[in-house]
Amino acid sequence: GNLEKIVEKLMQLNYKISFMESCSGGGLANAFTNIKGCSNVLELSAVTYSSEAKIKLGVNPKTIEKNTVFSTPVSKEMAKCITNYANSQIGVGVTGNLNLVCDDGSKGGEVYISIYNKETKQYVSKVIKVKSKDRAVSKEAIINFIAEDLMRLLAIN
């Protein structure tokens, strides 16, 4: 599968990867750790569910204030901050709202993903619309999207 290819490529490049996950709840780390050899590449994974936890790992509180925690500017900072914190070459930030409709009536169901490549200083970011009421199904979809982006970023066919 894609994750196996990603782990192999990271090993070839001698790259480490790290994750700062919010709504995916460690699902990305879980998926990676199911793969043989991942201990060679997975440096650190943090589930930063609260804003405070994100800020502790380096996300600027002003970025959250200005854009809300559900935004691309925040997922980009998450990706970059975890890369710096873990001293890895690649970092992934995931934040969003898996609830399709929120308690206050506002629209949920949007997930913001960013991947940061410290070597090239490039970001790959995207917004995913969550379609399922089942959070486990949504998390699986998020992880598949991240895998596709990592494949592209690492130029894996």
Side-chain angles (χ1 to χ4, degrees), residues 45 65 97 137:
S45 178
E65 250 170 72
N97 191 338
V137 170

Side-chain angles (χ1 to χ4, degrees), residues 98-114:
L98 297 183
N99 300 318
L100 299 187
V101 180
C102 305
D103 298 335
D104 62 3
S106 67
K107 193 169 62 71
E110 286 189 346
V111 177
Y112 302 83
I113 291 164
S114 294

